[in-house]
Each structure stands twice: as C-alpha cells, then as structure tokens.
Amino acid sequence: MPLSLKQIRYFIATADAGQVSQAAIEVNVSQSAITAAVKQLEEDLGVTLFRRHNSGVSLTAEGTRFLQHA
C-alpha cells in the first residue's frame, strides 16, 4: 500500500509534539485517527517509528531517519 500524505503529516505532527494527544490538537483530528495512521504507516514500512512511553512518544532510530526524509 502506498504511503499517504495524511500518514506523513500525522507522523511529523506526532514527532514534533512528542505526544499523540498534542499532535491531534495541532492537526485538528482525534487521537485515534493519529494512532491508526501512524500504526498503519509503521506496518506499511515494516519498522517501528516511535517508542511509546507513559508521558508520550519518542522517535526510534528508524523514525529519526524517516523524519529526515518526510
């Protein structure tokens, strides 16, 4: 499945914010929309882009590389 601009936009917003909830506010969508899009992006790419923490998310090495190209 080809990557969508929506997935990339949500990924960048999440990477910048460090939290799914804050990214959702910034792009004016639900948290579940961000979560689903990022999960699908990770499945499509076959890598984990974020480490999930209680306080938010941080980029993995693969996530950092993908962000440089996004």
Side-chain angles (χ1 to χ4, degrees), residues 25-61:
I25 291 168
E26 290 177 15
V27 296
N28 199 33
V29 298
S30 68
Q31 289 182 32
S32 60
I34 297 278
T35 300
V38 169
K39 182 179 177 185
Q40 186 63 53
L41 179 61
E42 289 177 321
E43 289 177 12
D44 291 347
L45 295 173
V47 297
T48 300
L49 298 171
F50 292 105
R51 279 183 222 90
R52 277 82 172 166
H53 312 283
N54 290 337
S55 60
V57 296
S58 60
L59 288 169
T60 62

Side-chain angles (χ1 to χ4, degrees), residues 13-27:
T14 304
D16 288 346
Q19 294 182 322
V20 172
S21 58
Q22 188 61 39
I25 291 168
E26 290 177 15
V27 296

Side-chain angles (χ1 to χ4, degrees), residues 7-21:
Q7 289 173 309
I8 294 169
R9 189 171 131 222
Y10 292 1
F11 165 77
I12 293 170
T14 304
D16 288 346
Q19 294 182 322
V20 172
S21 58

